[in-house]
Amino acid sequence: MLRPRIIPCLLLSDGGLVKTRRFADPKYVGDPINAVRIFNEKEVDELIVLDIGATRHGKAPDHALIARMANECRMPLCYGGGIASEDEVDRIISLGVEKVSLSAAALADPSLIDRSARRVGTQSIVVTLDIRKTGLLGGQSVVTHNGTRKTGRKPLDVAAEMQARGAGEIVVNMVDRDGEMGGYDLDFVARMREAVTIPVTLLGGAGSLDDIAALIRQEGIIGAAAGSLFVFKGKYRAVLINYPNREEKDALLSRAGFGG
């Protein structure tokens, strides 16, 4: 039986892990290899790792670090950051990564999705859309380069195009909710689920397991991703890598209508 996925998202910057708020003010939270080992022990469903400085600063992916993470990882691993060609997609997959996340490069040249999907298969191609509110009327637009560049494009239109070109999954990353821990944007994800038929993962806003349960209750089989929730503990945001144990996860899914 297909089940929702509960997914920690780790942010890399200069080889270390950081956590941001609204894509700003990065706080150092630890070593990526140590975090992977802890998440192995906690039997997480999947892991997303995004290098937030690579594309913004024109850096290539850190292949040695990616290879180390992939070698340690005992769960499916999705990596994004600094990937600008189908050859790079191929190389990342060859390091042992299951999924490659494309963002700015896919917006600049959507045919990259077609070429990459032909190389490694649609199941390995994820498009991450960083979405920010625009204007006074509550409109939303896709941004790139860690939120520093506007595209002027509407998220639902971009998602539909990326699906048509061969993307196997859309990760929706809500900039205005990043690190705020005030809950997911359930209205927006409902619209996204109507726009595409491929799997969708929502990132940005989770502050508790109840937030994850609410998302799953509404959307069913979906990816529920979180950063702050799984690297901080308590109102003072003490750094602590955490994840629900099997009993907690079963209880969460039961509350969301998926049984034990």
Side-chain angles (χ1 to χ4, degrees):
M1 171 181 166
L2 291 173
R3 287 161 65 93
R5 295 164 294 140
I6 301 173
I7 308 167
C9 179
L10 300 176
L11 304 180
L12 283 174
S13 182
D14 296 323
L17 292 182
V18 299
K19 187 65 198 79
T20 54
R21 294 184 84 160
R22 299 193 176 199
F23 280 31
D25 303 320
K27 176 181 179 179
Y28 178 77
V29 295
D31 173 72
I33 301 302
N34 183 56
V36 168
R37 289 170 177 159
I38 294 172
F39 282 133
N40 280 339
E41 294 173 359
K42 295 183 179 298
E43 300 181 333
V44 310
D45 295 333
E46 187 174 324
L47 184 63
I48 297 173
V49 176
L50 303 175
D51 189 327
I52 62 173
T55 297
R56 182 177 181 181
H57 300 296
K59 296 180 180 178
D62 185 338
H63 299 105
L65 178 57
I66 296 166
R68 288 179 64 205
M69 288 190 293
N71 186 59
E72 289 284 349
C73 227
R74 296 202 296 267
M75 74 292 287
L77 173 63
C78 174
Y79 170 83
I83 303 169
S85 70
E86 62 267 38
D87 288 338
E88 189 64 80
V89 169
D90 218 353
R91 182 172 182 183
I92 299 295
I93 293 293
S94 75
L95 297 176
V97 173
E98 282 77 15
K99 298 179 184 179
V100 171
S101 169
L102 299 171
S103 186
L107 269 293
D109 177 13
S111 68
L112 174 60
I113 302 299
D114 305 73
R115 302 193 304 273
S116 298
R118 286 196 294 269
R119 286 276 192 99
V120 301
T122 59
Q123 76 285 345
S124 293
I125 301 300
V126 174
V127 173
T128 295
L129 300 180
D130 297 332
I131 298 168
R132 171 168 272 155
K133 291 180 181 178
T134 56
L136 299 176
L137 300 179
Q140 290 165 314
S141 180
V142 178
V143 295
T144 63
H145 294 76
N146 202 32
T148 62
R149 296 189 189 180
K150 300 177 181 179
T151 69
R153 298 203 58 189
K154 296 179 179 179
L156 303 187
D157 293 343
V158 175
E161 178 183 4
M162 296 306 171
Q163 173 179 274
R165 288 184 173 277
E169 181 178 352
I170 301 291
V171 172
V172 176
N173 192 3
M174 308 302 291
V175 178
D176 300 291
R177 294 180 182 245
D178 171 53
E180 295 297 327
M181 303 183 76
Y184 289 117
D185 189 335
L186 298 180
D187 292 337
F188 181 81
V189 76
R191 298 199 301 274
M192 179 62 74
R193 288 291 293 270
E194 291 178 354
V196 298
T197 57
I198 57 178
V200 172
T201 292
L202 183 58
L203 174 63
S208 69
L209 297 183
D210 286 339
D211 289 331
I212 291 177
L215 173 63
I216 294 171
R217 187 180 305 113
Q218 173 179 297
E219 297 298 334
I221 299 171
I222 192 168
S228 297
L229 179 61
F230 297 135
V231 298
F232 294 137
K233 205 71 175 176
K235 65 179 181 179
Y236 297 110
R237 296 184 179 232
V239 175
L240 178 66
I241 302 296
N242 69 97
Y243 187 82
N245 61 36
R246 185 168 299 179
E247 292 75 20
E248 291 169 329
K249 186 188 295 185
D250 285 346
L252 182 161
L253 293 176
S254 180
R255 295 200 307 277
F258 273 82

